[in-house]
Amino acid sequence: MSDPLLSVPGRWNVDPSATHAGFVAHTFWGLIPVRGSLGVRSGHLLVESTGVSGELVLDAASVDTGIRLRNLHLRARAFFDASRHPDVRFVAQTLTAPGPDRISVAGELTVAGHTAPITLECEIRLQEPERVELTGQAQVDRRSFSMSGGQLPGMIPAGVELAVEVALVREG
């Protein structure tokens, strides 16, 4: 399959209703996976002959792990600080195609007012001629975002797995 994102310049808009973002943190010294999700506000990807730019904006206050008290804790200052920083933002800076149906999107992730570089390794699938889906993962260190977390060492890991499923629709 030819890569529809890299082969034709243009703007691709995120379909928030078909886009999902989540994370997995292995708590209790790596024994228990805690899964969570965040709501999608907006996003786009602009492909030009000179390069790629774009962003995905998530709602920090929407973090949901299925447990109300944990959600409140994650929305507080020690983690997402959602009242002062309502957006979690990934800004794409470069896009490369390391293999068939695969892309790497390098950029910066901003959480709770702190920014760090990350690279999403993605699989790309053509859904329709004007619609593609990216499924991507990245590892991040929550300390890069000054997320202090729990009181006991090992209870909340530094490493967190991010996962996104992004539906993009060609504009125009």
Side-chain angles (χ1 to χ4, degrees):
M1 156 180 160
S2 65
D3 187 340
L5 284 176
L6 295 175
S7 62
V8 181
R11 181 179 170 102
W12 296 79
N13 293 314
V14 169
D15 177 355
S17 67
T19 298
H20 309 282
F23 60 88
V24 177
H26 293 273
T27 63
F28 289 100
W29 300 273
L31 299 175
I32 300 174
V34 173
R35 299 179 193 288
S37 63
L38 292 123
V40 177
R41 289 189 193 273
S42 64
H44 72 277
L45 187 66
L46 181 61
V47 179
E48 300 176 294
S49 60
T50 57
V52 175
S53 63
E55 71 177 358
L56 179 64
V57 182
L58 308 174
D59 179 3
S62 71
V63 67
D64 184 10
T65 64
I67 298 175
R68 184 181 164 280
L69 287 176
R70 181 169 46 211
N71 296 344
L72 292 172
H73 182 61
L74 290 173
R75 294 172 189 154
R77 187 171 260 182
F79 287 97
F80 287 94
D81 198 6
S83 65
R84 293 189 321 150
H85 303 281
D87 293 338
V88 171
R89 186 178 304 269
F90 174 71
V91 177
Q93 297 169 325
T94 62
L95 189 147
T96 57
D101 303 328
R102 307 247 355 124
I103 60 172
S104 294
V105 184
E108 293 184 328
L109 180 64
T110 301
V111 181
H114 301 277
T115 302
I118 69 165
T119 300
L120 287 166
E121 299 298 335
C122 302
E123 178 183 324
I124 184 169
R125 289 182 301 283
L126 181 64
Q127 298 297 318
E128 300 170 14
E130 302 297 314
R131 185 179 181 93
V132 297
E133 183 178 283
L134 304 176
T135 303
Q137 299 83 31
Q139 285 285 120
V140 298
D141 185 332
R142 68 177 169 81
R143 297 170 298 190
S144 298
F145 306 100
S146 294
M147 292 184 169
S148 57
Q151 303 300 317
L152 296 174
M155 289 291 290
I156 301 174
V160 177
E161 302 166 24
L162 300 182
V164 294
E165 293 177 16
V166 180
L168 294 165
V169 180
R170 182 181 294 283
E171 185 175 279

